[in-house]
Amino acid sequence: MIEVKDLVKLYGERKVLHGLNFSVGVGRVCGFLGPNGAGKSTTMDILAGLLGPSDGTAKICGFDVVTQTREVKEVVGYLPDNPPLYKEMRVSDFVHFVAKLRGVPSVQRKSAVDRVLNDCDVTDVADRLVGNLSKGYRQRVALCSALVHQPKVLILDEPTEGLDPNQIVHIRELIRKLAKDRTVILSSHILSEVQATCDDVIIINQGQIAAESTLEDVGTGKPSIVFSFADKLDSAMTWFKEKTFVSKVELYSDKPNSVLVNFKDDFYGDARTANMVQVNSQLVQQGYGLTSVYEHRTGLESLFFNAIKSQTMNLGGQA
């Protein structure tokens, strides 16, 4: 549904996007994650047909964002980071107005408005002025305007920015519900936002993709354990591989003579401390020369910071 190839954006001599390549499939929620100034909003604006790329291509449902802008806007619903709302209008009137602008046929307009008001849980404020609503409700009204024409692709730029915790939870649930029959890409710089909402993650830094993964592959964030040895590293690895409570063991490249061990779920229960003491004791008894043991936190946080650090080093800190 979304295909981006070699996407470049220049502002004068400043290159903001450096040849992005990624795709997002049907029924997936993709988190576009990165620090402030990474190029997330620029990419969102290009995908929505509001900004032209300097080079490369971006297609939505097969339509090119440059040569088929009208078709792109027909299949895309866009929620920018600062959504335009007419605060002096009543909620239902505003959504009806947007439906008309979006080309929803007059005979279908009322049912389309009623549908999105219900989907976004704003029927209880339909007769209130937009300007008198809380920020959480205004964000939902903005979502109504993005959805009223039944787009196949939903693009959300920082959809929970500035909301309180209860409002954030509600918007997350709404996004998951909306994603059942469409493609969703949302930008954020908040790790927990992507972890709680998305199926896939693309990490962007300094206008380049630093990492891509599914959230399933990223994992739950349970820690792996790094074991370092003075000698007999191969024997220690064999010892771990023979244990039924170990799910994975591999060399740990960040530290010499070390292995990274993942334990099975039942290892991380109430007896976790006792289990670790027993493992360490047995390694010492085997004479493998155990020198240190420490946690290596896995999950999205680890993926994010490692990707940003690695790419920044490769670029020499240059934007």
Side-chain angles (χ1 to χ4, degrees):
M1 297 294 277
I2 300 176
E3 297 181 2
V4 172
K5 294 183 178 180
D6 302 321
L7 195 66
V8 173
K9 182 60 183 178
L10 295 168
Y11 288 110
E13 296 183 356
R14 178 170 170 255
K15 184 177 286 189
V16 179
L17 301 180
H18 299 253
L20 300 187
N21 289 278
F22 66 88
S23 61
V24 185
V26 180
R28 305 291 289 182
V29 181
C30 179
F32 207 55
L33 183 64
N36 290 327
K40 301 186 301 297
S41 292
T42 298
T43 305
M44 298 294 104
D45 285 345
I46 291 174
L47 292 178
L50 302 179
L51 186 66
S54 301
D55 201 0
T57 61
K59 293 184 178 181
I60 309 290
C61 300
F63 299 118
D64 188 280
V65 297
V66 175
T67 62
Q68 298 172 294
T69 306
R70 182 182 182 88
E71 290 85 348
V72 167
K73 292 183 177 181
E74 289 176 354
V75 297
V76 166
Y78 184 39
L79 179 68
D81 55 350
N82 291 303
L85 297 171
Y86 291 145
K87 297 181 180 180
E88 70 279 6
M89 296 182 72
R90 298 188 185 278
V91 170
S92 58
D93 292 338
F94 171 72
V95 180
H96 191 278
F97 172 69
V98 174
K100 184 177 181 180
L101 291 179
R102 281 292 195 172
V104 177
S106 57
V107 295
Q108 300 174 14
R109 214 167 285 156
K110 184 180 184 305
S111 61
V113 170
D114 290 343
R115 170 180 51 79
V116 293
L117 292 178
N118 181 67
D119 286 347
C120 297
D121 296 327
V122 292
T123 53
D124 56 330
V125 296
D127 294 328
R128 292 179 58 182
L129 294 178
V130 174
N132 292 339
L133 301 178
S134 68
K135 184 164 185 178
Y137 266 111
R138 291 201 301 271
Q139 195 77 335
R140 282 187 253 171
V141 172
L143 267 175
C144 287
S145 66
L147 290 165
V148 71
H149 60 301
Q150 293 187 296
K152 295 179 180 179
V153 174
L154 190 58
I155 299 173
L156 310 175
D157 193 359
E158 305 284 358
T160 62
E161 182 75 18
L163 303 184
D164 66 38
N166 288 330
Q167 294 168 340
I168 288 173
V169 170
H170 192 96
I171 293 295
R172 283 176 181 172
E173 293 174 349
L174 181 57
I175 291 171
R176 294 302 309 177
K177 181 172 71 173
L178 295 172
K180 291 180 180 179
D181 56 357
R182 54 176 55 87
T183 299
V184 179
I185 181 168
L186 65 90
S187 72
S188 181
H189 61 274
I190 303 172
L191 294 170
S192 59
E193 184 68 29
V194 173
Q195 186 84 55
T197 311
C198 300
D199 302 304
D200 309 301
V201 60
I202 296 171
I203 298 173
I204 182 174
N205 182 45
Q206 298 181 12
Q208 298 186 29
I209 292 178
E212 293 182 74
S213 181
T214 67
L215 268 295
E216 183 179 2
D217 288 340
V218 168
T220 61
K222 290 180 180 177
S224 301
I225 310 297
V226 176
F227 295 86
S228 299
F229 301 90
D231 51 21
K232 298 185 179 179
L233 180 62
D234 291 340
S235 298
M237 288 191 68
T238 300
W239 184 88
F240 278 115
K241 291 177 180 179
E242 292 174 346
K243 303 306 173 186
T244 58
F245 51 81
V246 172
S247 60
K248 185 178 181 181
V249 56
E250 60 185 352
L251 287 173
Y252 184 57
S253 59
D254 289 356
K255 188 174 182 180
N257 299 317
S258 300
V259 294
L260 185 70
V261 179
N262 294 339
F263 295 98
K264 294 182 179 178
D265 288 345
D266 53 6
F267 187 89
Y268 297 98
D270 294 335
R272 174 184 169 183
T273 300
N275 289 338
M276 280 302 304
V277 169
Q278 187 176 8
V279 167
N280 294 343
S281 177
Q282 290 181 23
L283 289 169
V284 171
Q285 291 174 14
Q286 293 293 329
Y288 295 144
L290 181 65
T291 58
S292 67
V293 180
Y294 61 90
E295 286 189 353
H296 174 77
R297 182 64 63 174
T298 58
L300 184 57
E301 181 177 323
S302 176
L303 176 66
F304 178 83
F305 287 110
N306 287 338
I308 297 297
K309 178 181 178 181
S310 175
Q311 188 191 58
T312 301
M313 290 176 64
N314 290 338
L315 294 174
Q318 300 298 314

